[in-house]
Amino acid sequence: MDEPRVAAVVLAAGGGERIAGPTNKVLLPIGGRPMLTWSLELFERLRDVQTVVLVVPDRNRSAYESVVREAGLQKVKHIVPGGGSRHESEYLGLLAIVDAIAAASIDLVLVHDAARPFARPDRVEAVTQEAGRTGAAILAIPATERIVALGPGQAVEDIGAGLWVAQTPQAFRATLVLDAHRRADRDGFQGTDTSSVVERLGERVSVVADRPDNIKITTPDDLLRAELIAEQLGAHEDDVLLGALWPRT
Ligand code: CTP
Ligand code: MG
């Protein structure tokens, strides 16, 4: 696929309960602009991305519309209400572009958590390219600590080595991810991320190495870390620092 036509579904409908801030967490400022703006501006800049679907909470829609307006974004073509879980929000986001997918005017879909403001263009392009080749790909980083499962009686159960932490964006052939979601809906399956919805069909999902600073803002501590990352990115817009820390692959 030379130049795929890509839609990005940006999930921003969560309540941010673990941060318990004064507003939805994706509206909180990082580096002087709303967390959500970082992702929307990233997709605005990526050549292959033609359409952005922004999934927002039922309440507070106007605050999200203001963010889009103030950032002067052209690619946000749909602002749709989300559901009670990330999974449902994702399905509702996909349904906003169902006609374009059926008409084959979108080849690939990127699904991204607005709670990850620091996804980097080169990594997003890499995961998009991989999905164009294979059908499904996610960004992930190698786990840097041992991860164990809890067995009966809180006993440690080994889950092996070579574990990776899944991140977003995750990229899929558009027809594949829509079909996977329709089947999940039929079967009452709720995925923790988009990949899990596709994996259950027996589809292979490739992993593309991400940078470790593409963190998800989940707790108040993460907000502090995010300010530091924003500062570093601002001071090194040419990517020299992060490129050296995490060589392009
Ligand atoms: N999300 C969504 N719809 C939901 C739940 C989550 O669109 N019903 C989005 C969030 O806005 C976020 C991403 O999914 O960008 C990852 O979710 P998470 O980090 O858990 O965010 P929240 O659900 O907002 O936070 P919390 O779980 O602490 O309430
Ligand atoms: Mg949540």
Side-chain angles (χ1 to χ4, degrees):
M1 202 180 290
D2 283 344
E3 289 191 356
R5 291 157 304 173
V6 181
V9 175
V10 177
L11 300 172
E17 275 157 34
R18 283 168 286 185
I19 284 200
T23 181
N24 291 82
K25 78 175 173 191
V26 302
L27 301 177
L28 295 173
I30 290 177
R33 54 203 173 123
M35 190 187 304
L36 170 63
T37 302
W38 288 75
S39 303
L40 295 180
E41 284 183 348
L42 166 71
F43 293 123
E44 192 78 13
R45 285 207 311 273
L46 291 179
R47 206 195 44 199
D48 291 340
V49 173
Q50 298 176 341
T51 302
V52 174
V53 179
L54 177 59
V55 187
V56 304
D58 250 340
R59 293 184 316 163
N60 215 10
R61 181 190 170 99
S62 60
Y64 287 72
E65 287 170 343
S66 303
V67 166
V68 171
R69 211 175 25 249
E70 275 157 30
L73 302 163
Q74 305 302 314
K75 291 186 182 174
V76 179
K77 304 273 169 51
H78 309 269
I79 301 182
V80 298
S85 66
R86 185 194 178 283
H87 177 92
E88 285 168 31
S89 293
E90 179 175 283
Y91 189 33
L92 291 164
L94 288 172
L95 291 179
I97 48 171
V98 78
D99 291 343
I101 294 175
S105 56
I106 292 174
D107 302 309
L108 298 172
V109 175
L110 288 167
V111 182
H112 184 55
D113 291 336
R116 289 186 193 273
F118 304 124
R120 306 291 287 145
D122 67 322
R123 299 294 80 209
V124 182
E125 278 166 358
V127 77
T128 307
Q129 233 171 48
E130 181 66 14
R133 230 169 42 79
T134 63
I138 65 171
L139 290 177
I141 55 167
T144 54
E145 298 183 56
R146 183 176 176 226
I147 297 178
V148 296
L150 287 192
Q154 305 276 301
V156 165
E157 271 185 9
D158 187 39
I159 49 174
L163 298 174
W164 288 61
V165 181
Q167 320 228 119
T168 73
Q170 302 186 344
F172 307 89
R173 197 179 307 127
T175 48
L176 170 64
V177 69
L178 181 60
D179 179 50
H181 255 282
R182 282 183 164 145
R183 291 193 198 204
D185 188 42
R186 220 173 298 149
D187 301 343
F189 174 83
Q190 291 252 341
T192 47
D193 66 355
T194 326
S195 183
S196 59
V197 180
V198 169
E199 286 159 39
R200 71 185 275 278
L201 303 184
E203 294 287 337
R204 179 186 191 283
V205 179
S206 314
V207 168
V208 173
D210 199 2
R211 298 182 186 197
D213 61 351
N214 182 15
I215 61 169
K216 183 160 80 68
I217 314 296
T218 307
T219 62
D221 277 359
D222 295 328
L223 284 171
L224 296 176
R225 227 183 124 198
E227 284 302 332
L228 291 175
I229 295 171
E231 219 169 277
Q232 277 181 331
L233 288 174
H236 297 272
E237 271 181 350
D238 56 0
D239 240 356
V240 170
L241 175 67
L242 291 165
L245 289 176
W246 191 256
R248 285 156 203 266
T249 50

